[in-house]
Amino acid sequence: MSIRAHAMLVLAMAVTAAGPVLAQDFPVTIAHAYGETTITEKPERVATWSWGNTDAVLALGVKPVAMPFISYGGGDNGIHPWAEEVLEEMGGELPAILAENDEPPYEQILAAGPDVIIAAHSGITEEQYERLSAIAPTVAFPEVAWSTPWQEVTQMTGAALGLAEEAEALIAETEQFVADAVAAQPGLAGTTFIALNDFDGSLAIYAELDSRVKFLTDLGLVYAPSLEALEPDDGSFYFSVSYENADALVSDILVSYYENEADSDAFFSAPYIARLPQTQAGAYASIVGIEEVAAVSPPSALSLRWGIEDYVARLAAAADNAQ
């Protein structure tokens, strides 16, 4: 069954379970980091900005009028394969593809004529939020930039689109799908992990609030207690540890994300990583491939189904090797 067909089946099941679905009452007010956004009536034209928001809209059966170009894993057209599949099955014209920059392309968004802008997982600044809000009601991230879990992105999007019940049904079904994948690998539960990469002359450790890390904890793994003394309380989704202090990274397994095997092999053969007991025991999982990394960085209600069996199997293999 395709991703699109599965999502539609979930929504149909939600309607059947609840009986005739009445239109969600509007206005709806959604709280976020920059205050509150009130949507006075059910949107018909939806624009998305930043990673993951398009997936939530598509998973709820709505085609956006504008969506961002995604260079990482999006191919030549800037659309992730799981989103592309849904759009193909929806048919009709593709949404307007917004230029990928740190600054939202306000003129492009304005030209699309949206009724609402979804940026629940993003890093928009307050100034950018204000400028977007001058175009249409804008839903920003709830607390910390780039850290909204996929469940909350789905909830916020569902509320904004008048599909709150459908969003809850989609979350529940997707969480069960993940739970079933994990149940096939019982050795994962309770495994401590550190998610990391090599970046700019030091080790980049993904922080506890990072969406990749939150997904790993959703799988039953445990954020390594050794990181508590290393992680600064600055709200960042990652922090740096010098190569000289790599020995402080105590965990059962290591998890990394690389575009190709050559880069992954180079990282785990570097002296500061190769000497760690996790590496020596083979207790590490390297998620390799642009699309594979993109699917869990961060995950969404659509992308979770893209290779999750392989993802969980790699984690389980690392856990089996843990000392």
Side-chain angles (χ1 to χ4, degrees):
M1 182 182 293
S2 70
I3 293 173
R4 160 70 172 169
H6 193 277
M8 291 302 97
L9 176 59
V10 172
L11 297 183
M13 290 170 63
V15 171
T16 302
V21 177
L22 301 177
Q24 177 178 305
D25 290 337
F26 282 87
V28 169
T29 299
I30 300 173
H32 50 72
Y34 299 129
E36 295 181 339
T37 293
T38 297
I39 302 165
T40 58
E41 56 186 8
K42 185 177 177 66
E44 295 183 358
R45 299 179 61 81
V46 182
T48 62
W49 179 247
S50 294
W51 198 295
N53 301 291
T54 302
D55 289 3
V57 171
L58 291 172
L60 289 169
V62 176
K63 181 196 289 187
V65 295
M67 54 188 274
F69 184 98
I70 302 295
S71 59
Y72 193 90
D76 293 339
N77 63 3
I79 304 174
H80 282 139
W82 47 90
E84 190 171 33
E85 179 182 322
V86 176
L87 287 167
E88 287 177 355
E89 294 190 14
M90 285 180 167
E93 293 184 4
L94 286 176
I97 304 300
L98 305 172
E100 184 181 43
N101 295 298
D102 292 336
E103 189 81 10
Y106 303 106
E107 292 185 2
Q108 277 188 290
I109 296 172
L110 178 62
D115 299 325
V116 69
I117 301 169
I118 306 296
H121 184 272
S122 72
I124 60 171
T125 66
E126 187 165 11
E127 179 183 354
Q128 291 170 348
Y129 165 74
E130 295 292 347
R131 293 190 65 180
L132 289 171
S133 296
I135 298 171
T138 299
V139 179
F141 53 89
E143 294 181 3
V144 181
W146 301 117
S147 65
T148 316
W150 69 266
Q151 295 95 327
E152 196 165 2
V153 174
T154 305
Q155 287 173 332
M156 296 174 76
T157 301
L161 303 185
L163 297 170
E165 289 185 4
E166 291 88 341
E168 292 298 336
L170 180 61
I171 291 167
E173 194 279 339
T174 305
E175 288 180 334
Q176 185 59 56
F177 174 83
V178 172
D180 291 344
V182 173
Q185 305 288 352
L188 275 181
T191 299
T192 62
F193 71 91
I194 294 173
L196 76 172
N197 272 51
D198 207 345
F199 179 70
D200 200 23
S202 64
L203 296 171
I205 313 299
Y206 293 112
E208 192 167 13
L209 57 73
D210 180 71
S211 54
R212 280 159 288 220
V213 169
K214 288 181 178 178
F215 181 49
L216 287 167
T217 59
D218 283 347
L219 298 178
L221 283 75
V222 176
Y223 185 69
S226 65
L227 298 180
E228 293 178 4
L230 301 173
E231 181 177 347
D233 186 20
D234 61 0
S236 176
F237 68 91
Y238 81 96
F239 59 95
S240 297
V241 171
S242 67
Y243 298 145
E244 293 79 9
N245 290 326
D247 291 338
L249 302 177
V250 178
S251 65
D252 292 327
I253 69 172
L254 303 174
V255 184
S256 68
Y257 307 87
Y258 278 97
E259 295 183 7
N260 55 68
E261 290 286 357
D263 288 345
S264 175
D265 291 345
F267 175 65
F268 282 102
S269 63
Y272 44 85
I273 292 297
R275 71 170 184 261
L276 297 183
Q278 301 98 313
T279 307
Q280 293 179 4
Y284 62 90
S286 188
I287 313 307
V288 177
I290 294 177
E291 292 176 352
E292 287 72 13
V293 173
V296 293
S297 304
S300 73
L302 285 184
S303 69
L304 278 175
R305 298 176 183 278
W306 188 267
I308 190 172
E309 290 86 357
D310 180 65
Y311 181 51
V312 172
R314 284 177 182 250
L315 295 171
D320 287 343
N321 292 332
Q323 295 179 341

